[in-house]
């Protein structure tokens, strides 16, 4: 029998954190610390502090240096030197998507409005089918790394082959983590002028909602394996400033599994259910439509759904879509895909689903896969081959 004894020496602990900055209140910054003075010293906690301050987007440079241990207390002081970001930030981008056509975006942000860490971000997006103008005022609360109160104003216009809508809204939401889940409690008031088929109307809705989402995986941009799940519950009442009564549940899931580094299977699905006594009073933003790059490929954007007596798509109470896709990468960043999509916007969950199938090219870009797909609407003879282009992270 051999017994080994290890003398690791005295236990060191975190000492005073010495902040060098004139940007934010010290009380706010201390809420970013994953440790307190007197806790056992752990280098991983120092790295976690570095990451938290970098992710806060308040600072251009974050420097953290453990000092020399104090002999009498065995405490290690931590020196934190912070260099703020510029007061204003701007970004501009152009792109193209099959659903939206050519598009452009301009954004303006103030990463730091005051010493309490409030911030503003705003954007203007213009595409061939409309525009989206919005501004958010964000206030850190509770744990500032994950929790914030967001005040939002926006105006959107969308003009597609099936509907036209101008939507103005104002709202407030609380975004925070509940364990491993991301939870959003929101209250939005929206005014909408809409035209669907031959019907036009104006709508006012006060919509309280709650949403939960979670992502499993290590690489959210180009994932080898991962899972994303989200669900939203909301509604409106004539008793609470809404023109009509309705309740809505919607959610989605995406699953990615890799056989090896060159082959992946992607499964995704979305569903939505609406309960209302007067569907005709619901604006187009509340109705469900299907078809397009992120729905059922092989069909035009929002071209699927129940129709009126003239054959015009009017949208559905419910939504059900799903997809199976197999990718093979023949080079480190280039691959091919085959897929089968099915789904529709429907009034009854027993209604028929449309199907589309095709193949595509994949390129792993720094901002996520670029997908160029050619799909055919195999459940109808009225549609030919259709090109779909989309860009974005896997999860």
């Amino acid at each position: 029998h051999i017994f080994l004894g290890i003398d690791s020496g005295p236990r060191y602990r975190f000492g005073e954190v010495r902040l060098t900055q004139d940007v934010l209140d010290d009380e706010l910054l201390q809420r970013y610390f994953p440790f307190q003075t007197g806790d056992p010293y752990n280098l991983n906690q120092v790295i976690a502090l570095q990451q938290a301050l970098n992710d806060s987007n308040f600072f251009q440079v974050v420097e953290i240096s453990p000092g020399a241990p104090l002999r009498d207390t065995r405490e290690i002081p931590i020196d934190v030197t912070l260099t703020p970001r510029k007061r204003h930030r701007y970004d501009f981008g152009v792109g193209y998507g099959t659903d939206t056509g050519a598009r452009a975006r301009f954004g303006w942000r103030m990463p730091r409005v005051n010493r309490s860490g409030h911030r503003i971000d705003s954007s203007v997006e213009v595409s061939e089918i409309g525009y989206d103008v919005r501004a958010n005022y964000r206030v850190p609360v509770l744990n500032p790394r994950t929790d914030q109160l967001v005040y939002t104003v926006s105006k959107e216009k969308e003009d597609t082959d099936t509907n036209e809508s101008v939507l103005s809204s104002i709202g407030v939401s609380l975004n925070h983590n509940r364990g491993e889940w991301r939870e959003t409690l929101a209250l939005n008031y929206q005014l909408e002028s809409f035209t669907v088929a031959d019907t036009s109307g104006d709508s006012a809705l006060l919509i309280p909602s709650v949403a939960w989402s979670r992502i499993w995986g290590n690489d959210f941009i180009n994932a080898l394996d991962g899972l994303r799940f989200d669900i939203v519950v909301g509604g409106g009442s004539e008793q609470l400033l809404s023109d009509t009564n309705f309740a809505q549940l919607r959610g989605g899931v995406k699953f990615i599994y890799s056989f090896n580094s060159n082959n992946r299977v992607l499964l995704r699905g979305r569903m939505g259910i609406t309960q209302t006594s007067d569907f005709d009073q619901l604006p187009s933003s509340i109705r469900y439509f299907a078809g397009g790059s992120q729905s059922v490929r092989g069909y035009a954007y929002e071209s699927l759904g129940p129709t009126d007596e003239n054959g015009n798509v009017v949208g559905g109470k419910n939504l059900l879509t799903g997809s199976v896709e197999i990718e093979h990468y023949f080079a480190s960043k280039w691959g091919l895909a085959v897929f089968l999509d099915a789904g529709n916007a429907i009034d009854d969950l027993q209604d028929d689903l449309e199907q589309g199938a095709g193949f595509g090219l994949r390129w792993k870009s720094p901002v996520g896969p670029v997908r160029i797909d050619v799909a055919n609407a195999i459940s109808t003879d009225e549609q030919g081959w259709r090109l779909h282009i989309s860009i974005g992270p896997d999860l």
Side-chain angles (χ1 to χ4, degrees):
H1 299 280
I2 299 175
F3 298 93
L4 298 178
I6 300 176
D7 182 5
S8 61
R11 182 71 189 225
Y12 288 89
R13 299 186 178 274
F14 283 107
E16 177 189 7
V17 177
R18 299 179 293 216
L19 292 169
T20 302
Q21 61 92 33
D22 59 355
V23 178
L24 299 176
D25 291 336
D26 287 352
E27 185 275 333
L28 173 63
L29 287 174
Q30 288 168 1
R31 286 154 58 189
Y32 283 91
F33 296 169
F35 56 83
Q36 296 180 347
T37 299
D39 288 348
Y41 181 80
N42 187 325
L43 183 59
N44 290 331
Q45 298 280 26
V46 179
I47 296 173
L49 175 59
Q50 176 98 35
Q51 293 174 338
L53 294 176
N54 279 325
D55 293 344
S56 72
N57 288 320
F58 289 125
F59 309 107
Q60 186 71 33
V61 178
V62 177
E63 299 179 14
I64 300 180
S65 302
L70 303 179
R71 292 185 178 181
D72 52 346
T73 62
R74 297 194 181 96
E75 291 183 347
I76 300 177
I78 306 295
D79 293 309
V80 179
T81 303
L82 305 172
T83 303
R85 288 187 178 274
K86 294 182 179 180
R87 194 73 171 180
H88 302 275
R89 301 185 68 187
Y90 306 92
D91 60 82
F92 177 77
V94 295
Y96 179 86
T98 312
D99 294 346
T100 62
R103 58 178 183 255
R105 181 186 186 278
F106 174 76
W108 166 70
R109 286 176 284 174
M110 286 187 66
R112 185 184 70 262
V113 175
N114 52 34
R115 294 184 63 84
S116 297
H118 298 190
R119 68 184 73 196
I120 296 174
D121 60 82
S122 61
S123 64
V124 178
E125 299 182 7
V126 181
S127 71
E128 293 184 28
I129 65 171
Y131 61 79
D132 184 340
V133 181
R134 64 182 56 245
N136 300 306
Y137 189 89
R138 303 179 184 273
V139 180
V141 296
L142 304 175
N143 184 343
R145 289 172 288 181
T146 58
D147 306 335
Q148 57 184 340
L149 192 64
V150 184
Y151 302 92
T152 303
V153 293
S154 67
K155 186 169 185 178
E156 307 169 54
K157 180 180 179 181
E158 185 175 78
D159 188 357
T160 70
D161 293 338
T162 55
N163 71 88
E164 181 178 351
S165 168
V166 177
L167 172 64
S168 302
S169 67
I170 183 171
V172 60
S173 62
L174 174 63
N175 306 321
H176 69 107
N177 285 359
R178 186 177 293 277
E180 298 294 329
W181 292 82
R182 186 68 172 168
E183 182 180 75
T184 300
L185 306 173
L187 181 66
N188 290 286
Y189 183 71
Q190 65 177 53
L191 301 174
E192 184 172 359
S193 297
F194 64 95
T195 299
V196 180
D198 297 326
T199 303
S200 298
D202 296 297
S203 170
L205 297 174
L206 179 66
I207 306 176
S209 65
V210 57
W212 298 275
S213 64
R214 185 174 177 182
I215 298 177
W216 294 262
N218 295 323
D219 185 352
F220 301 153
I221 305 299
N222 293 288
L224 286 177
D225 297 283
L227 176 66
R228 182 190 68 206
F229 176 82
D230 62 87
I231 186 170
V232 182
V233 180
S237 171
E238 294 178 349
Q239 308 297 321
L240 295 172
L241 302 179
S242 292
D243 291 341
T244 187
N245 298 315
F246 80 98
Q248 200 166 66
L249 168 69
R250 61 184 184 273
V253 62
K254 184 175 183 180
F255 174 71
I256 301 173
Y257 176 75
S258 298
F259 295 107
N260 49 49
S261 60
N262 298 325
N263 299 285
R264 302 194 307 173
V265 174
L266 296 89
L267 306 176
R268 62 174 172 85
R270 294 208 69 83
M271 69 170 297
I273 300 174
T274 304
Q275 293 292 331
T276 181
S277 58
D278 192 353
F279 179 78
D280 292 337
Q281 292 296 315
L282 291 180
S284 56
S285 64
I286 302 299
R287 305 184 188 193
Y288 289 116
F289 299 85
S293 300
Q294 304 300 318
S295 181
V296 184
R297 286 165 286 189
Y299 299 85
Y301 177 59
E302 294 191 348
S303 64
L304 297 178
T307 59
D308 60 14
E309 60 275 9
N310 298 318
N312 298 314
V313 176
V314 297
K317 294 181 180 179
N318 306 310
L319 176 72
L320 190 61
T321 64
S323 175
V324 178
E325 183 171 318
I326 300 175
E327 293 180 348
H328 170 70
Y329 282 85
F330 54 84
S332 60
K333 293 186 178 297
W334 293 92
L336 298 173
V338 294
F339 55 85
L340 173 65
D341 296 348
N344 208 344
I346 51 183
D347 286 332
D348 191 304
L349 294 178
Q350 304 301 318
D351 291 347
D352 293 335
L353 302 180
E354 303 292 348
Q355 297 180 5
F359 56 91
L361 180 67
R362 299 291 181 268
W363 174 54
K364 293 182 179 179
S365 77
V367 296
V370 176
R371 309 171 187 88
I372 303 176
D373 294 323
V374 179
N376 183 263
I378 61 177
S379 58
T380 178
D381 296 330
E382 299 178 2
Q383 305 263 358
W385 290 92
R386 182 173 292 274
L387 177 67
H388 297 278
I389 300 174
S390 62
I391 304 173
D394 281 326
L395 296 175

